[in-house]
Amino acid sequence: MGKANVAVFISGSGSNLNSLIKFSLKKNSKFRISLIVSNNSKALGLKYAKLFNIKKKIINYKSKRLMEKGLINKLQKERIDIICLAGFMKIISKNFIKKFDGMILNIHPSLLPKYKGLNTHFRAISNKDRYSGCTVHLVNHKLDGGKIISQKKVKILKKDTPKSLASRILKQEHVLYSKTLNKILFNL
Ligand code: GRF
């Protein structure tokens, strides 16, 4: 199989998108980033579309059904093999997930199944956990509930705040996501 076509969905800064793009340019990469999708036309991560000359699609959740139809067409037109959610803050419909079942990955900033949802770092610190980390998982209809593919543990330090822990975990997300995606594609 040649390189897989990956679509990355973002809503914000796109630091995970940036790390996926950087990895995709390496010799041993099994994927290329063919499309960047954002629900936010002002997402800072869209700068990477310009910088690396990657196609982008802004989706408007106001007309969900119409949006989804256009999005599915675009994904099929670009022959997308895998969808990577990366800081994507919208819920995807059951219909969409069914259509791309087993092809949607997400990176979540906790050691799932602990701390699904938001404010993961605050919750881990408040619970005096010794470790937190990040998880790459398949996306199914349950929020942050799909099959866990890989995880990276990060020690919580006594002096950690949610902010300091978040930045240390984010760095590990950048490594884990590309490595996991490449491994999945290598074993296909
Ligand atoms: C971060 O909180 C990260 O932990 C999670 O999504 C948020 C934004 O990530 N995966 P990014 O910088 O937009 O990739």
Side-chain angles (χ1 to χ4, degrees), residues 5-43:
N5 293 321
V6 172
V8 183
F9 286 33
I10 63 167
S11 300
S13 56
S15 72
N16 274 290
L17 165 64
N18 182 39
S19 64
L20 286 165
I21 294 170
K22 294 265 168 61
F23 188 102
S24 73
L25 300 174
K26 289 181 181 184
K27 209 166 54 305
N28 64 327
S29 159
K30 297 278 171 209
F31 62 92
R32 68 169 74 83
I33 309 299
S34 309
L35 181 66
I36 297 170
V37 176
S38 177
N39 64 293
N40 169 9
S41 60
K42 303 228 175 343

Side-chain angles (χ1 to χ4, degrees), residues 109-144:
S110 80
L111 292 174
L112 289 173
K114 285 183 89 171
Y115 308 127
K116 294 177 180 163
L118 300 173
N119 302 319
T120 58
H121 309 303
F122 172 80
R123 291 152 69 191
I125 291 174
S126 312
N127 281 353
K128 298 193 176 4
D129 290 0
R130 287 161 42 79
Y131 287 93
S132 186
C134 47
T135 303
V136 176
H137 64 96
L138 283 181
V139 171
N140 67 7
H141 61 288
K142 289 199 286 301
L143 180 72
D144 299 329

